[in-house]
Amino acid sequence: MTRDKAAPAGIDPTIPSVARVYDFFLGGKDNFEADRKVAEHALRITPDGPAAGQANRAFLRRVIRFLVAEAGIDQFLDIGSGLPTQGNVHEVATEQNPKAQVVYVDNDPIVLAHGRALLAAEGTATVIQADIREPQEILNHPDARRFLDFDRPIGLLLFAILHHLGDDEDPRAVAAALIDALPSGSYVAISHFRDPGERDPEGSRKAREVERVFNESLGTGRWRTDEEILSFVDGLTVLEPGLVPLAEWRPEPDAPATVQTDTYHTFVGLLARKP
């Protein structure tokens, strides 16, 4: 993308957006020069950023297939959903169950505009503009209540979102508020940037450097330890294989080999069940 299209009303293209940075990593076109500068700076430290984004999407798709086909989940709350891309949650879910319902949530107005255009004829999904920092706003949103039955198990999807909350924003309390609203038998899926610490000193150094870049340019980003990430699902049962690099979570036999290098051990995921 060499020239930016005009930004929709209410959007400042000079301020980078997490959703649009991810869109760049995934090869999308809904990003601006400010977003690309952040992404390109990060790529100088961890050149496999696009592969990490693709690994995250592949992990999401495997989780959805498992939840629908094996766990019987037919409704999802996807927070921090980002810009629409191929293999969205509702597309994967309805392949397994045509009646599956999905509520997408993001705080970027571009996501709302694109999402509503994409979903206009779908009927199985909707998108709302809200911020994860205000969980009650999400949980009480009329469209969330219209699409989701909070008396039945729900799949809560927190992909690449909690690591954009600083410690001062109390992400554990945010996650707890969302999980507390879920009925028994619900599932929580998380992908998160990880600082591998002493097990991988060079990876840890790069994690801290990319964290510095994110905080200088996007104002948000935390690479957390395993213990910190697992604390988000305290009281839940973490399914096998546990908290692992994205490519290692129940890989499909015919899946192409991962091309992640620098980010392989610094981007991890898990799936947990609420008793």
Side-chain angles (χ1 to χ4, degrees), residues 119-133:
L119 302 172
E122 293 284 351
T124 61
T126 191
V127 57
I128 62 178
Q129 185 181 346
D131 196 308
I132 191 173
R133 298 170 183 84

Side-chain angles (χ1 to χ4, degrees), residues 70-125:
E70 298 188 42
I73 300 296
D74 62 1
Q75 49 180 357
F76 297 89
L77 180 59
D78 183 3
I79 302 179
S81 56
L83 284 155
T85 186
Q86 188 174 9
N88 283 307
V89 173
H90 73 279
E91 294 174 331
V92 179
T94 54
E95 285 178 359
Q96 308 290 330
N97 181 349
K99 296 182 179 179
Q101 299 278 100
V102 180
V103 172
Y104 295 108
V105 182
D106 205 284
N107 66 350
D108 190 324
I110 284 187
V111 173
L112 184 71
H114 283 260
R116 286 188 172 168
L118 175 72
L119 302 172
E122 293 284 351
T124 61

Side-chain angles (χ1 to χ4, degrees), residues 250-272:
R250 306 191 180 196
E252 296 168 343
D254 56 349
T258 181
V259 292
Q260 282 178 273
T261 53
D262 294 312
T263 62
Y264 189 86
H265 291 288
T266 58
F267 202 178
V268 295
L270 64 80
L271 179 65

Side-chain angles (χ1 to χ4, degrees), residues 213-225:
V213 170
F214 264 71
N215 281 284
E216 288 178 353
S217 51
L218 286 172
T220 172
R222 275 281 282 116
W223 273 244
R224 294 187 167 95
T225 65

